[in-house]
């Protein structure tokens, strides 16, 4: 990486002088050539003057580019001609620039050759599309991509998808059986454009577009651009950019792009809806004869394979969902997140019902870092505030009624993502139900405890979020498995280390949270007029297949490696996340064809199901760590020499029945089981109490 120091004002003057000198010499050569033509002679000096003129003219753009780099380094805004805007403060003296951002002339020549092919391919030139394919591998090269973007300019990005859409409309109107080939060719072209745009807007690369390009792209994004031969039909430039983004949903856009263009797209979307008095705008299908159809084969509707134009914001969210950094850069503040999750719900209902938003939220909020936790807490505030006004409970009835649940379902696509988000923060959620935080300011949503970030959720908000998320089976399952994994690891760790206080706290706190969760699931089903079994099927099957009996991997080594090393065993169990640990438990139990093949317990209600599962966990860990009397071990479930109790997940039905009788007199499991029963019941009662309190508040309004 090479640097140089220049004075941008002097560089501007130099560029101007070189440019004028080139023009002057070219004029001089032209006049001399005309004079010599009159006397029918030539002179090699004229050609030499021409070469010098061409060389000078060719140097001017690079001189101006160095000037622009210096202005950009000094945060000086310039107009389209490169002159500082009125009021700009110019740095005095020399400015250091990165010379590696200068693009070689041969690369710019390549980009000059490729740019017209994009325009021709958009108009339907199949030959141009074929020639363009030869440049596909160059699109991710930052130098080539930057030169291409500078040659095309933001206006082309706002125009080309419109040209393509107009051609698709003509083909549809002509009664063609299929637009598949045309749309595939369009996708190939737009995906190349998207790859180049991603590469050219990454400031971590040596070559990338400047701030002036970004600002001009914002301006073009807000303009209404007419589609050719469509009777005056026009779409905003950001509509076109959305189609480009949708063509390559895995393109690696930078956090800078997300925080500049991405956030500006969201703000434009909000302003656009406000100007239209919150009327949603359609995602035209091919049958919408007076609208511009999708230029590519996008399918933006939840649960449907029908082609329609891409929702620009949904396309943006899908890209953001490919990494935590991108997602946090895009939706990392309450203002935009509230708009997306609350105010934009009617628009989401027209398309994917927020599935793409859910992807971005999950990427931004599922991690163990402070920003992920802060955004996760923020999201629970927003969902809770949306759900609360829909609640009512009649006197003498503990079942919830939901007013207009279809409004809540407008954003049903984020529920499974929210379930996975909450599942990954199970440790903080358990802590919340003990601490009972009140809502904090945005800069206080995360605490640092023992050097680690801890999310400050609020108990009431979590209840309303659980109620909403549990309406989706995938969302409920994610929360449930995350909580099971948390509880399983903590119970085993407490018994392995002989920490009776920890064991009592885990049983009390985790059972309470599970009580809230299973009651939220039951209420969510009942409130939507669905039949809710006494124990929901997912939970009942997990219990019957013995998920609580599955031993923690390597936990039996605690006695060998010592108590100080025990922490690492349990950290490894959840290192990949609570969801991964929960899935592992499911695979090891009979539920997924693992070792346990018989039902160990029946569950007639949610409460009983949770109690039985916790009993399984205590039994399994007590046996794994020898927390039982060893006198005269001769029972059917005893193995080995010296004798020890067989792991419960390996027992058959008769052995387990014998074990259940024996355990009453030889372990403390029954006492812990009673604690679990109390905790689950308390959790269920607390959930109902919170719902009733909100119902009373709603009645006052």
């Amino acid at each position: 990486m090479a640097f140089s120091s220049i004075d941008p004002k002097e560089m501007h003057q130099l560029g101007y002088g070189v440019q004028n000198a080139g023009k002057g010499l070219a004029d001089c050569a032209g006049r001399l050539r005309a004079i010599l033509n009159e006397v029918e002679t030539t002179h090699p000096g004229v050609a030499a003057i021409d070469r010098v003129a061409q060389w000078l003219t060719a140097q001017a753009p690079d001189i101006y580019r160095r000037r622009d780099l210096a202005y950009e380094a000094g945060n000086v805004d310039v107009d389209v001609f490169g002159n500082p805007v009125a009021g700009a403060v110019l740095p005095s003296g020399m400015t250091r620039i990165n010379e590696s951002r200068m693009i070689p002339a041969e690369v710019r020549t390549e980009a000059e050759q490729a740019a017209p092919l994009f325009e021709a391919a958009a108009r339907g030139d199949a030959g141009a599309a074929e020639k363009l394919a030869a440049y596909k591998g160059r699109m991710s090269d930052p130098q080539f991509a930057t030169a291409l973007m500078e040659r095309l300019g933001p206006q082309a990005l706002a125009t080309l998808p419109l040209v393509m859409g107009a051609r698709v409309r003509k083909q549809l109107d002509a009664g063609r059986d299929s637009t598949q080939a045309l749309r595939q060719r369009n996708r190939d072209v737009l995906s190349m454009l998207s790859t180049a745009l991603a590469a050219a807007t990454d400031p971590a690369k040596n070559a990338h577009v400047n701030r002036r390009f970004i600002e001009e792209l914002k301006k073009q994004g807000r303009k209404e651009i007419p589609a050719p031969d469509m009777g005056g039909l026009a779409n905003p430039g950001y509509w076109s950019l959305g189609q480009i983004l949708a063509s390559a949903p895995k393109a690696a856009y930078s956090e800078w792009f997300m925080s500049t263009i991405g956030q500006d797209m969201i703000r434009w979307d909000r302003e656009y809806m406000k100007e239209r008095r919150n009327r949603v705008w359609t995602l035209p299908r091919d049958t919408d004869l007076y609208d511009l159809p999708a230029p590519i084969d996008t399918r933006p509707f939840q649960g449907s394979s029908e082609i329609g134009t891409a929702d620009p914001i949904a396309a943006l969210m899908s890209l953001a969902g490919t990494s935590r950094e991108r997602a946090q850069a895009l939706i990392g503040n309450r203002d935009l997140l509230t708009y997306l999750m609350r105010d934009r719900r009617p628009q989401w209902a027209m398309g994917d019902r927020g599935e793409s938003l859910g992807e971005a939220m999950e990427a931004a909020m599922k991690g163990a870092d402070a920003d992920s936790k802060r955004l996760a807490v923020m999201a629970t505030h927003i969902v809770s505030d949306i759900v609360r006004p829909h609640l009512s409970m009649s006197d003498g009835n503990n079942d919830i009624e939901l007013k207009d649940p279809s409004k809540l379902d407008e954003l049903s696509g984020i529920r499974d993502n929210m379930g996975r988000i909450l599942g990954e923060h199970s440790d903080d959620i358990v802590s919340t139900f003990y601490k009972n935080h009140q809502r904090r300011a945005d800069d206080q949503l995360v605490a640092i405890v023992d050097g680690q970030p801890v999310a400050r959720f609020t108990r009431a908000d979590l209840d309303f979020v659980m109620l909403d998320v549990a309406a989706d089976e995938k969302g409920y399952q994610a929360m449930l498995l995350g909580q099971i994994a948390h509880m399983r690891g903590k119970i085993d760790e407490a018994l392995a280390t002989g920490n009776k206080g920890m064991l009592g706290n885990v049983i009390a706190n985790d059972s309470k949270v599970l009580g809230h969760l299973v009651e939220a699931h039951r209420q969510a089903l009942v409130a939507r007029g669905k039949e809710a079994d006494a124990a929901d099927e997912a939970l009942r099957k997990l219990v019957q297949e013995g998920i609580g009996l599955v031993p923690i991997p390597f936990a039996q080594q605690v006695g060998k490696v010592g108590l100080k090393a025990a922490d690492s065993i349990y950290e490894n169990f959840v290192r990949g996340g609570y969801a991964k640990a929960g899935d592992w438990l499911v695979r090891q139990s009979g539920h997924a064809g693992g070792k346990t093949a018989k039902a160990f317990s029946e569950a007639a209600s949610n409460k009983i199901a949770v109690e039985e599962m916790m009993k399984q966990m205590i039994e399994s860990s007590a046996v794994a760590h020898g927390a039982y009397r060893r006198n005269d071990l001769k029972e059917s479930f005893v193995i080995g020499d010296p004798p020890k109790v067989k792991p419960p997940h390996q027992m058959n039905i008769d052995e387990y029945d014998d074990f259940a009788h024996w355990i009453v007199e030889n372990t403390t499991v029954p006492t812990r089981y009673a604690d679990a029963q109390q905790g689950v019941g308390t959790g269920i009662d607390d959930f109902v109490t919170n719902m009733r309190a909100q119902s009373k508040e709603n009645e006052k309004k």
Side-chain angles (χ1 to χ4, degrees), residues 3 63 81 150 170 229 238 260 296 319 447 507 512 560 631 638 647 662 664:
F3 292 90
I63 295 173
F81 302 107
E150 290 176 350
K170 287 182 179 179
D229 304 320
Y238 274 144
T260 53
I296 61 177
L319 288 168
I507 291 171
K512 188 175 181 180
K560 300 176 183 178
N631 298 333
V638 175
W662 175 86
V664 172

Side-chain angles (χ1 to χ4, degrees), residues 308-596:
T309 59
D311 177 346
I313 304 304
L316 179 66
M317 293 298 143
S318 293
L319 288 168
T322 58
S323 85
R324 180 178 65 188
E325 292 76 16
R326 293 181 194 115
Q328 289 181 350
L330 182 64
I331 60 174
N333 68 71
R334 183 181 287 271
D335 176 49
L336 296 183
L337 189 59
T338 300
Y339 166 69
L340 292 168
M341 295 180 66
R342 184 189 68 191
D343 305 331
R344 201 180 192 268
R345 294 171 81 91
Q347 185 64 59
W348 290 119
M350 293 291 296
D352 68 358
R353 291 188 174 270
E355 289 179 350
S356 52
L357 172 61
E359 293 171 9
M361 290 172 59
E362 185 172 347
M365 302 175 188
K366 205 167 67 171
D369 58 292
D371 284 337
S372 291
K373 290 175 180 283
R374 175 179 60 84
L375 290 172
V377 176
M378 203 177 289
T380 63
H381 292 176
I382 297 168
V383 172
S384 174
D385 289 343
I386 292 167
V387 173
R388 287 172 185 260
H390 290 263
L391 274 174
S392 68
M393 294 181 79
S394 56
D395 292 337
N397 186 350
N398 285 338
D399 288 342
I400 292 170
E401 295 179 11
L402 285 178
K403 301 174 184 177
D404 202 0
S406 62
K407 289 292 184 182
L408 296 177
D409 294 340
E410 288 175 338
L411 203 59
S412 60
I414 73 166
R415 285 175 176 150
D416 60 329
N417 307 98
M418 278 298 297
R420 288 188 288 273
I421 291 167
L422 295 181
E424 291 304 335
H425 297 301
S426 292
D427 48 353
D428 296 342
I429 289 174
V430 171
S431 173
T432 294
F433 275 90
Y434 171 73
K435 296 177 180 177
N436 195 19
H437 292 299
Q438 299 300 309
R439 277 196 190 181
R440 304 290 185 95
D442 285 354
D443 61 350
Q444 299 177 2
L445 298 182
V446 176
I448 302 299
V449 179
D450 294 331
Q452 299 298 318
V454 176
R456 284 172 166 160
F457 293 104
T458 55
R459 189 161 66 184
D461 288 327
L462 285 173
D463 275 346
F464 295 109
V465 176
M466 287 180 182
L467 179 66
D468 185 65
V469 173
D472 179 89
E473 287 304 316
K474 289 182 179 179
Y476 169 62
Q477 185 86 349
M479 289 190 292
L480 181 64
L481 289 181
Q483 191 57 47
I484 288 172
H486 177 270
M487 181 170 55
R488 184 71 191 93
K490 292 298 183 182
I491 285 177
D492 201 80
E493 182 178 0
L495 279 164
T497 56
N499 191 334
K500 295 180 180 180
M502 176 184 178
L503 179 60
N505 292 337
V506 170
I507 291 171
N509 294 333
D510 282 68
S511 61
K512 188 175 181 180
V513 174
L514 277 168
H516 280 259
L517 179 55
V518 296
E519 181 63 11
H521 186 229
R522 190 191 73 81
Q523 293 276 14
L525 296 179
V526 172
R528 286 169 171 78
K530 298 179 181 179
E531 290 293 331
D533 292 338
D536 67 71
E537 184 178 355
L539 176 59
R540 181 170 56 222
K541 189 165 186 179
L542 291 174
V543 174
Q544 290 178 353
E545 298 291 356
I547 192 171
L549 299 173
V550 177
I552 301 297
F554 307 112
Q556 71 275 12
Q557 296 183 13
V558 171
K560 300 176 183 178
V561 301
L563 298 183
K564 290 184 178 180
D567 285 347
S568 64
I569 291 176
Y570 299 102
E571 287 176 6
N572 286 333
F573 175 57
V574 295
R575 186 177 299 279
Y578 286 108
K580 185 177 180 180
D583 288 340
W584 182 87
L585 290 171
V586 171
R587 291 195 302 273
Q588 299 306 307
S589 72
H591 180 66
K595 297 177 181 178
T596 305

